[in-house]
PDB file of all heavy atoms in Angstrom:
ATOM      1  N   LEU Y 153      -1.141   0.817  -2.197  1.00  0.00           N
ATOM      2  CA  LEU Y 153       0.276   0.455  -2.194  1.00  0.00           C
ATOM      3  C   LEU Y 153       0.549  -0.660  -3.204  1.00  0.00           C
ATOM      4  O   LEU Y 153       1.481  -0.573  -4.018  1.00  0.00           O
ATOM      5  CB  LEU Y 153       0.712   0.012  -0.794  1.00  0.00           C
ATOM      6  CG  LEU Y 153       0.774   1.093   0.281  1.00  0.00           C
ATOM      7  CD1 LEU Y 153       0.870   0.476   1.670  1.00  0.00           C
ATOM      8  CD2 LEU Y 153       1.928   2.035   0.023  1.00  0.00           C
ATOM      9  N   HIS Y 154      -0.267  -1.695  -3.165  1.00  0.00           N
ATOM     10  CA  HIS Y 154      -0.071  -2.838  -4.058  1.00  0.00           C
ATOM     11  C   HIS Y 154      -0.260  -2.423  -5.517  1.00  0.00           C
ATOM     12  O   HIS Y 154       0.529  -2.804  -6.388  1.00  0.00           O
ATOM     13  CB  HIS Y 154      -1.030  -3.968  -3.689  1.00  0.00           C
ATOM     14  CG  HIS Y 154      -0.553  -5.307  -4.138  1.00  0.00           C
ATOM     15  ND1 HIS Y 154      -0.527  -5.679  -5.465  1.00  0.00           N
ATOM     16  CD2 HIS Y 154      -0.069  -6.355  -3.441  1.00  0.00           C
ATOM     17  CE1 HIS Y 154      -0.052  -6.904  -5.555  1.00  0.00           C
ATOM     18  NE2 HIS Y 154       0.239  -7.343  -4.337  1.00  0.00           N
ATOM     19  N   THR Y 155      -1.286  -1.631  -5.790  1.00  0.00           N
ATOM     20  CA  THR Y 155      -1.564  -1.183  -7.162  1.00  0.00           C
ATOM     21  C   THR Y 155      -0.415  -0.349  -7.703  1.00  0.00           C
ATOM     22  O   THR Y 155       0.025  -0.547  -8.841  1.00  0.00           O
ATOM     23  CB  THR Y 155      -2.886  -0.390  -7.203  1.00  0.00           C
ATOM     24  OG1 THR Y 155      -3.951  -1.245  -6.755  1.00  0.00           O
ATOM     25  CG2 THR Y 155      -3.188   0.111  -8.608  1.00  0.00           C
ATOM     26  N   LYS Y 156       0.091   0.562  -6.897  1.00  0.00           N
ATOM     27  CA  LYS Y 156       1.219   1.405  -7.330  1.00  0.00           C
ATOM     28  C   LYS Y 156       2.439   0.539  -7.656  1.00  0.00           C
ATOM     29  O   LYS Y 156       3.084   0.721  -8.698  1.00  0.00           O
ATOM     30  CB  LYS Y 156       1.549   2.424  -6.242  1.00  0.00           C
ATOM     31  CG  LYS Y 156       2.754   3.294  -6.513  1.00  0.00           C
ATOM     32  CD  LYS Y 156       2.492   4.293  -7.620  1.00  0.00           C
ATOM     33  CE  LYS Y 156       3.659   5.270  -7.734  1.00  0.00           C
ATOM     34  NZ  LYS Y 156       3.400   6.307  -8.710  1.00  0.00           N
ATOM     35  N   LEU Y 157       2.754  -0.391  -6.778  1.00  0.00           N
ATOM     36  CA  LEU Y 157       3.911  -1.255  -7.019  1.00  0.00           C
ATOM     37  C   LEU Y 157       3.709  -2.125  -8.257  1.00  0.00           C
ATOM     38  O   LEU Y 157       4.632  -2.284  -9.063  1.00  0.00           O
ATOM     39  CB  LEU Y 157       4.184  -2.127  -5.795  1.00  0.00           C
ATOM     40  CG  LEU Y 157       4.752  -1.395  -4.591  1.00  0.00           C
ATOM     41  CD1 LEU Y 157       4.830  -2.321  -3.390  1.00  0.00           C
ATOM     42  CD2 LEU Y 157       6.122  -0.813  -4.917  1.00  0.00           C
ATOM     43  N   HIS Y 158       2.523  -2.669  -8.416  1.00  0.00           N
ATOM     44  CA  HIS Y 158       2.254  -3.508  -9.583  1.00  0.00           C
ATOM     45  C   HIS Y 158       2.390  -2.703 -10.879  1.00  0.00           C
ATOM     46  O   HIS Y 158       2.962  -3.179 -11.851  1.00  0.00           O
ATOM     47  CB  HIS Y 158       0.862  -4.128  -9.481  1.00  0.00           C
ATOM     48  CG  HIS Y 158       0.532  -5.014 -10.630  1.00  0.00           C
ATOM     49  ND1 HIS Y 158       1.104  -6.252 -10.800  1.00  0.00           N
ATOM     50  CD2 HIS Y 158      -0.300  -4.833 -11.687  1.00  0.00           C
ATOM     51  CE1 HIS Y 158       0.639  -6.794 -11.911  1.00  0.00           C
ATOM     52  NE2 HIS Y 158      -0.215  -5.954 -12.460  1.00  0.00           N
ATOM     53  N   ARG Y 159       1.886  -1.486 -10.868  1.00  0.00           N
ATOM     54  CA  ARG Y 159       1.990  -0.636 -12.065  1.00  0.00           C
ATOM     55  C   ARG Y 159       3.436  -0.266 -12.373  1.00  0.00           C
ATOM     56  O   ARG Y 159       3.822  -0.173 -13.530  1.00  0.00           O
ATOM     57  CB  ARG Y 159       1.159   0.633 -11.889  1.00  0.00           C
ATOM     58  CG  ARG Y 159      -0.327   0.382 -11.946  1.00  0.00           C
ATOM     59  CD  ARG Y 159      -1.108   1.648 -11.739  1.00  0.00           C
ATOM     60  NE  ARG Y 159      -2.543   1.391 -11.770  1.00  0.00           N
ATOM     61  CZ  ARG Y 159      -3.452   2.321 -11.564  1.00  0.00           C
ATOM     62  NH1 ARG Y 159      -3.092   3.581 -11.301  1.00  0.00           N
ATOM     63  NH2 ARG Y 159      -4.736   2.012 -11.615  1.00  0.00           N
ATOM     64  N   GLU Y 160       4.223  -0.029 -11.355  1.00  0.00           N
ATOM     65  CA  GLU Y 160       5.609   0.400 -11.552  1.00  0.00           C
ATOM     66  C   GLU Y 160       6.562  -0.758 -11.818  1.00  0.00           C
ATOM     67  O   GLU Y 160       7.506  -0.623 -12.578  1.00  0.00           O
ATOM     68  CB  GLU Y 160       6.091   1.186 -10.328  1.00  0.00           C
ATOM     69  CG  GLU Y 160       5.362   2.495 -10.104  1.00  0.00           C
ATOM     70  CD  GLU Y 160       5.674   3.554 -11.149  1.00  0.00           C
ATOM     71  OE1 GLU Y 160       6.764   3.532 -11.746  1.00  0.00           O
ATOM     72  OE2 GLU Y 160       4.799   4.420 -11.366  1.00  0.00           O
ATOM     73  N   LEU Y 161       6.319  -1.890 -11.173  1.00  0.00           N
ATOM     74  CA  LEU Y 161       7.250  -3.019 -11.252  1.00  0.00           C
ATOM     75  C   LEU Y 161       6.808  -4.115 -12.219  1.00  0.00           C
ATOM     76  O   LEU Y 161       7.619  -4.958 -12.595  1.00  0.00           O
ATOM     77  CB  LEU Y 161       7.456  -3.635  -9.866  1.00  0.00           C
ATOM     78  CG  LEU Y 161       7.937  -2.689  -8.764  1.00  0.00           C
ATOM     79  CD1 LEU Y 161       8.015  -3.427  -7.442  1.00  0.00           C
ATOM     80  CD2 LEU Y 161       9.264  -2.061  -9.130  1.00  0.00           C
ATOM     81  N   GLY Y 162       5.530  -4.115 -12.573  1.00  0.00           N
ATOM     82  CA  GLY Y 162       5.016  -5.147 -13.463  1.00  0.00           C
ATOM     83  C   GLY Y 162       5.103  -6.518 -12.827  1.00  0.00           C
ATOM     84  O   GLY Y 162       4.940  -6.684 -11.619  1.00  0.00           O
ATOM     85  N   GLN Y 163       5.401  -7.500 -13.641  1.00  0.00           N
ATOM     86  CA  GLN Y 163       5.436  -8.893 -13.182  1.00  0.00           C
ATOM     87  C   GLN Y 163       6.827  -9.332 -12.723  1.00  0.00           C
ATOM     88  O   GLN Y 163       7.025 -10.498 -12.395  1.00  0.00           O
ATOM     89  CB  GLN Y 163       4.965  -9.809 -14.320  1.00  0.00           C
ATOM     90  CG  GLN Y 163       3.558  -9.526 -14.792  1.00  0.00           C
ATOM     91  CD  GLN Y 163       2.515  -9.810 -13.728  1.00  0.00           C
ATOM     92  OE1 GLN Y 163       2.653 -10.744 -12.944  1.00  0.00           O
ATOM     93  NE2 GLN Y 163       1.472  -9.001 -13.687  1.00  0.00           N
ATOM     94  N   LYS Y 164       7.791  -8.408 -12.722  1.00  0.00           N
ATOM     95  CA  LYS Y 164       9.168  -8.787 -12.387  1.00  0.00           C
ATOM     96  C   LYS Y 164       9.346  -9.170 -10.919  1.00  0.00           C
ATOM     97  O   LYS Y 164      10.282  -9.874 -10.572  1.00  0.00           O
ATOM     98  CB  LYS Y 164      10.144  -7.657 -12.732  1.00  0.00           C
ATOM     99  CG  LYS Y 164      10.235  -7.386 -14.215  1.00  0.00           C
ATOM    100  CD  LYS Y 164      11.341  -6.460 -14.629  1.00  0.00           C
ATOM    101  CE  LYS Y 164      11.613  -5.296 -13.761  1.00  0.00           C
ATOM    102  NZ  LYS Y 164      12.589  -4.350 -14.303  1.00  0.00           N
ATOM    103  N   TYR Y 165       8.458  -8.680 -10.066  1.00  0.00           N
ATOM    104  CA  TYR Y 165       8.590  -8.925  -8.633  1.00  0.00           C
ATOM    105  C   TYR Y 165       7.295  -9.492  -8.067  1.00  0.00           C
ATOM    106  O   TYR Y 165       6.205  -9.107  -8.490  1.00  0.00           O
ATOM    107  CB  TYR Y 165       8.906  -7.626  -7.880  1.00  0.00           C
ATOM    108  CG  TYR Y 165      10.262  -7.066  -8.190  1.00  0.00           C
ATOM    109  CD1 TYR Y 165      10.455  -6.206  -9.274  1.00  0.00           C
ATOM    110  CD2 TYR Y 165      11.361  -7.392  -7.405  1.00  0.00           C
ATOM    111  CE1 TYR Y 165      11.708  -5.686  -9.552  1.00  0.00           C
ATOM    112  CE2 TYR Y 165      12.614  -6.879  -7.678  1.00  0.00           C
ATOM    113  CZ  TYR Y 165      12.778  -6.025  -8.763  1.00  0.00           C
ATOM    114  OH  TYR Y 165      14.015  -5.519  -9.038  1.00  0.00           O
ATOM    115  N   LYS Y 166       7.423 -10.371  -7.071  1.00  0.00           N
ATOM    116  CA  LYS Y 166       6.277 -10.766  -6.261  1.00  0.00           C
ATOM    117  C   LYS Y 166       6.141  -9.678  -5.209  1.00  0.00           C
ATOM    118  O   LYS Y 166       7.129  -9.262  -4.605  1.00  0.00           O
ATOM    119  CB  LYS Y 166       6.514 -12.117  -5.596  1.00  0.00           C
ATOM    120  CG  LYS Y 166       5.328 -12.554  -4.733  1.00  0.00           C
ATOM    121  CD  LYS Y 166       5.617 -13.843  -4.004  1.00  0.00           C
ATOM    122  CE  LYS Y 166       4.456 -14.323  -3.183  1.00  0.00           C
ATOM    123  NZ  LYS Y 166       3.687 -13.380  -2.420  1.00  0.00           N
ATOM    124  N   ILE Y 167       4.935  -9.204  -5.002  1.00  0.00           N
ATOM    125  CA  ILE Y 167       4.695  -8.079  -4.099  1.00  0.00           C
ATOM    126  C   ILE Y 167       3.832  -8.538  -2.934  1.00  0.00           C
ATOM    127  O   ILE Y 167       2.756  -9.115  -3.139  1.00  0.00           O
ATOM    128  CB  ILE Y 167       3.984  -6.929  -4.844  1.00  0.00           C
ATOM    129  CG1 ILE Y 167       4.826  -6.451  -6.024  1.00  0.00           C
ATOM    130  CG2 ILE Y 167       3.650  -5.792  -3.881  1.00  0.00           C
ATOM    131  CD1 ILE Y 167       4.066  -5.606  -7.020  1.00  0.00           C
ATOM    132  N   ASP Y 168       4.300  -8.308  -1.721  1.00  0.00           N
ATOM    133  CA  ASP Y 168       3.513  -8.548  -0.514  1.00  0.00           C
ATOM    134  C   ASP Y 168       3.375  -7.228   0.225  1.00  0.00           C
ATOM    135  O   ASP Y 168       4.391  -6.583   0.543  1.00  0.00           O
ATOM    136  CB  ASP Y 168       4.189  -9.569   0.406  1.00  0.00           C
ATOM    137  CG  ASP Y 168       4.093 -10.994  -0.113  1.00  0.00           C
ATOM    138  OD1 ASP Y 168       3.164 -11.284  -0.884  1.00  0.00           O
ATOM    139  OD2 ASP Y 168       4.957 -11.801   0.257  1.00  0.00           O
ATOM    140  N   VAL Y 169       2.152  -6.823   0.474  1.00  0.00           N
ATOM    141  CA  VAL Y 169       1.867  -5.619   1.248  1.00  0.00           C
ATOM    142  C   VAL Y 169       1.126  -6.083   2.496  1.00  0.00           C
ATOM    143  O   VAL Y 169       0.091  -6.737   2.388  1.00  0.00           O
ATOM    144  CB  VAL Y 169       1.024  -4.608   0.437  1.00  0.00           C
ATOM    145  CG1 VAL Y 169       0.631  -3.419   1.298  1.00  0.00           C
ATOM    146  CG2 VAL Y 169       1.786  -4.154  -0.808  1.00  0.00           C
ATOM    147  N   LEU Y 170       1.672  -5.747   3.648  1.00  0.00           N
ATOM    148  CA  LEU Y 170       1.154  -6.268   4.912  1.00  0.00           C
ATOM    149  C   LEU Y 170       1.028  -5.178   5.960  1.00  0.00           C
ATOM    150  O   LEU Y 170       1.850  -4.250   6.002  1.00  0.00           O
ATOM    151  CB  LEU Y 170       2.096  -7.352   5.448  1.00  0.00           C
ATOM    152  CG  LEU Y 170       2.385  -8.512   4.492  1.00  0.00           C
ATOM    153  CD1 LEU Y 170       3.660  -9.224   4.895  1.00  0.00           C
ATOM    154  CD2 LEU Y 170       1.214  -9.462   4.472  1.00  0.00           C
ATOM    155  N   VAL Y 171       0.027  -5.320   6.822  1.00  0.00           N
ATOM    156  CA  VAL Y 171      -0.088  -4.448   7.985  1.00  0.00           C
ATOM    157  C   VAL Y 171       1.038  -4.819   8.942  1.00  0.00           C
ATOM    158  O   VAL Y 171       1.301  -6.006   9.178  1.00  0.00           O
ATOM    159  CB  VAL Y 171      -1.451  -4.630   8.678  1.00  0.00           C
ATOM    160  CG1 VAL Y 171      -1.504  -3.855   9.994  1.00  0.00           C
ATOM    161  CG2 VAL Y 171      -2.583  -4.204   7.761  1.00  0.00           C
ATOM    162  N   GLU Y 172       1.698  -3.821   9.480  1.00  0.00           N
ATOM    163  CA  GLU Y 172       2.744  -4.085  10.458  1.00  0.00           C
ATOM    164  C   GLU Y 172       2.114  -4.825  11.646  1.00  0.00           C
ATOM    165  O   GLU Y 172       1.070  -4.400  12.160  1.00  0.00           O
ATOM    166  CB  GLU Y 172       3.375  -2.762  10.905  1.00  0.00           C
ATOM    167  CG  GLU Y 172       4.621  -2.934  11.705  1.00  0.00           C
ATOM    168  CD  GLU Y 172       5.333  -1.620  11.969  1.00  0.00           C
ATOM    169  OE1 GLU Y 172       5.221  -0.677  11.173  1.00  0.00           O
ATOM    170  OE2 GLU Y 172       6.016  -1.562  13.005  1.00  0.00           O
TER     171      GLU Y 172
END
Side-chain angles (χ1 to χ4, degrees):
L153 290 166
H154 203 289
T155 300
K156 176 71 172 185
L157 288 173
H158 181 72
R159 288 179 181 177
E160 295 290 333
L161 304 177
Q163 300 295 325
K164 294 190 321 187
Y165 293 87
K166 180 184 182 318
I167 301 164
D168 286 335
V169 175
L170 305 160
V171 173
E172 191 172 332

